[in-house]
Amino acid sequence: MSFASLGLSAAILKAVEKQGYDTPSAIQAQAIPAVLEGKDVMAAAQTGTGKTAGFTLPLLELLSKGQRAQRGQVRALVLTPTRELAAQVAESVSTYGANLPLKSAVVFGGVSINPQIAALRNGVDVLVATPGRLLDLCQQKVLSFSQLEVLILDEADRMLDMGFIRDIKKILAMLPKQRQNLMFSATFSDEIRELAKGLVNNPVEISVTPRNATANTVDQAVYAIDKSRKAKILTKLIKENDWHQVLVFSRTKHGANRLAKNLEADGIKAVAIHGNKSQSARTKALADFKAGTAQVMVATDIAARGIDIDQLPFVVNFDLPNVPEDYVHRIGRTGRAGASGQAVSLVSDEEVKLLHDIERLIKRVIERKQIAGYEACHTLPEPNLNRAGGHNSNHKKPNPNRRKHASQNNNDNSARPESRHSARQNSRADASANSTAAKKPQRRRQGNNSANSAASGSVNPYANARPKSRD
């Protein structure tokens, strides 16, 4: 099968050929015809499957046949969870639409809003946006959706993980009911299907990758490493194997900064990318890494979402993720489009259970390796893969909010970072409250409503309240 057989125009085929592609991927071969037919689509596709082109190409084809966008109007809206992914999608739209008379724009937080307002004033055919900044622009009444033809939710699962469900619902309420809807997600989880109920109409469902499967082209290995020696081992692996373009995942922002500094001290050019970095710093770090100026990029999960690098050869889990599914997303950054890749995980004693959860999820035991002279004090026993979910009858039931809590613990919502000042104030307030409660236990039942709510299982209505800053 070729792209020419999918019903795309000569102008788009020329742009595709210029990028060196001649055969569509599985997701592209199924999604492109369905979108061109005007159908709603729900597509499950992992990172690296070509899903961006899977909706970009047919979207441009449809829009090229209609009337151009009027002043202040948007014809197609693509919502993404992160700034990096928004920039990537916008680049795809620009690349494949190079030979078409269509206008596009990308809007996200962390940068000045004024140039974005100017870009939207005369109308755009394709707008790529993060939810927070889009709502800011809507409040300023600089754009209208009355002529919207297509809505695309990219990486819908991550948008739910990051707490954008309220923003998404606000945006949906502004859109015309008659429109084409496309939803792309890593999996069709129960949460995604619930969101889809009010979004897509009689959709074509496409799934090209088994749920939680890892690519066969990725060579996976784990090393039992004492926590205090992880940084030294990472340096040794990079230098002795002459690794270049190494994407390293850290669980926390501070850990990412610390590790990047350690690598620099060892003579390895490294950059860090996470939610506390300014947008200009994140853009420069990613550009340096793509260009090869930086040998290593240390990233947190949310900041790395949307990073698209051709032929990325190495991914290292310096810290294992709290949520097993995130392991699949992480190592999906390498071994893309049939290329080979290597994924290495450094596992400390307290991470053994996390490793077992990952192995049960992907239904395989990852190869154990050792480095002579750096043997750990602990071992990595193989799990019982037949025990579904990694829990037996003697264990507590899994927390249904595990993914949300893990994301909150990571504290890496790049759209809404908490300031250090407010964090210190909250810490002092908590300490003061605890001290008062200890001195006057008779008032605890009356005054400490949040503690009582947690104990009784009720929900604090302000638990998920967010500051006013937008992505």
Side-chain angles (χ1 to χ4, degrees):
M1 179 182 289
S2 65
F3 280 103
S5 66
L6 297 178
L8 299 172
S9 65
I12 294 178
L13 291 175
K14 184 178 179 180
V16 171
E17 184 180 0
K18 186 176 181 180
Q19 297 305 309
Y21 301 118
D22 53 15
T23 304
S25 67
I27 184 67
Q28 293 164 359
Q30 296 183 57
I32 291 175
V35 176
L36 290 178
E37 290 175 12
K39 296 179 180 179
D40 284 8
V41 172
M42 281 183 66
Q46 298 285 359
T47 298
T49 56
K51 66 177 177 62
T52 302
F55 64 76
T56 300
L57 295 177
L59 174 66
L60 292 171
E61 180 71 27
L62 291 174
L63 295 177
S64 67
K65 297 176 179 179
Q67 294 183 348
R68 301 288 83 82
Q70 303 300 310
R71 183 176 178 83
Q73 294 288 337
V74 175
R75 297 179 64 201
L77 172 64
V78 184
L79 287 177
T80 71
T82 67
R83 304 166 187 174
E84 282 73 25
L85 183 56
Q88 174 195 321
V89 173
E91 183 180 358
S92 179
V93 170
S94 178
T95 298
Y96 296 122
N99 304 316
L100 299 172
L102 299 175
K103 293 183 293 184
S104 62
V106 57
V107 297
F108 48 73
V111 295
S112 173
I113 198 172
N114 293 328
Q116 297 175 357
I117 292 175
L120 295 172
R121 186 168 289 122
N122 293 323
V124 293
D125 296 288
V126 183
L127 175 61
V128 185
T130 52
R133 177 52 61 93
L134 181 63
L135 286 174
D136 287 341
L137 290 164
C138 290
Q139 289 175 358
Q140 297 192 36
K141 302 185 185 307
V142 298
L143 74 168
S144 170
F145 295 118
S146 62
Q147 295 179 6
L148 188 81
E149 301 170 34
V150 186
L151 169 67
I152 301 173
L153 292 188
D154 193 14
E155 299 205 355
D157 56 330
R158 181 57 65 173
M159 278 198 270
L160 295 186
D161 291 344
M162 293 174 64
F164 283 128
I165 184 62
R166 292 182 185 174
D167 288 351
I168 292 173
K169 289 182 177 180
K170 287 180 182 178
I171 294 169
L172 292 178
M174 303 178 192
L175 308 182
K177 295 189 180 301
Q178 295 300 319
R179 63 178 190 268
Q180 186 176 9
N181 303 286
L182 313 177
M183 178 185 289
F184 286 76
S185 178
T187 61
F188 291 152
S189 64
D190 294 339
E191 293 83 0
I192 291 297
R193 290 191 178 279
E194 186 64 29
L195 175 62
K197 286 181 180 178
L199 179 64
V200 294
N201 301 305
N202 193 25
V204 174
E205 286 199 17
I206 301 171
S207 183
V208 298
T209 305
R211 183 173 182 176
N212 301 319
T214 54
N216 293 327
T217 54
V218 180
D219 180 22
Q220 303 175 59
V222 294
Y223 292 85
I225 302 294
D226 294 332
K227 187 174 182 178
S228 61
R229 306 179 80 182
K230 278 190 177 185
K232 187 174 293 185
I233 290 293
L234 178 59
T235 296
K236 181 179 178 66
L237 288 171
I238 292 172
K239 287 186 173 181
E240 290 191 355
N241 296 295
D242 194 26
W243 287 353
H244 290 272
Q245 275 205 315
V246 187
L247 177 58
V248 180
F249 282 96
S250 169
R251 188 178 296 125
T252 66
K253 304 171 189 176
H254 299 302
N257 284 337
R258 185 168 56 249
L259 181 56
K261 289 180 181 178
N262 288 339
L263 291 171
E264 287 276 354
D266 289 334
I268 298 173
K269 179 62 177 175
V271 292
I273 181 170
H274 53 70
N276 276 359
K277 294 279 187 179
S278 67
Q279 185 57 40
S280 59
R282 289 160 64 172
T283 301
K284 184 179 185 306
L286 183 56
D288 288 346
F289 184 60
K290 284 187 174 183
T293 306
Q295 189 174 351
V296 178
M297 182 165 71
V298 188
T300 50
D301 282 299
I302 291 179
R305 195 74 169 188
I307 292 176
D308 186 16
I309 302 169
D310 291 336
Q311 307 298 325
L312 178 66
F314 306 105
V315 170
V316 177
N317 292 298
F318 189 81
D319 301 312
L320 287 183
N322 290 328
V323 179
E325 288 84 355
D326 285 344
Y327 174 84
V328 179
H329 293 308
R330 287 182 178 188
I331 73 169
R333 306 284 165 193
T334 187
R336 308 177 79 163
S340 60
Q342 190 170 349
V344 170
S345 299
L346 309 181
V347 184
S348 61
D349 186 32
E350 60 265 33
E351 294 177 305
V352 172
K353 184 182 182 302
L354 294 177
L355 173 62
H356 287 174
D357 289 344
I358 290 168
E359 291 177 315
R360 292 189 184 101
L361 180 77
I362 65 176
K363 296 180 173 59
R364 62 176 289 187
V365 175
I366 304 172
E367 182 183 2
R368 272 66 169 159
K369 291 186 177 181
Q370 286 187 338
I371 299 178
Y374 289 88
E375 293 82 0
C377 298
H378 63 283
T379 59
L380 301 177
E382 294 185 2
N384 178 7
L385 298 182
N386 294 325
R387 200 173 73 198
H391 297 276
N392 60 29
S393 59
N394 294 326
H395 288 164
K396 294 180 179 180
K397 293 182 179 180
N399 183 350
N401 294 319
R402 181 183 184 190
R403 177 179 288 275
K404 180 180 74 174
H405 292 161
S407 179
Q408 291 173 344
N409 290 338
N410 287 348
N411 191 27
D412 189 46
N413 188 336
S414 59
R416 298 168 177 82
E418 180 185 23
S419 69
R420 294 181 180 178
H421 175 70
S422 62
R424 285 197 298 268
Q425 283 187 325
N426 291 340
S427 177
R428 290 168 182 164
D430 290 344
S432 175
N434 291 338
S435 174
T436 303
K439 292 179 181 178
K440 301 179 180 181
Q442 68 275 17
R443 292 186 180 179
R444 188 175 183 179
R445 296 189 188 91
Q446 300 174 0
N448 194 350
N449 290 333
S450 60
N452 292 339
S453 296
S456 64
S458 62
V459 178
N460 179 354
Y462 300 102
N464 294 321
R466 303 181 195 161
K468 292 183 179 179
S469 62
R470 298 281 188 187
D471 190 7

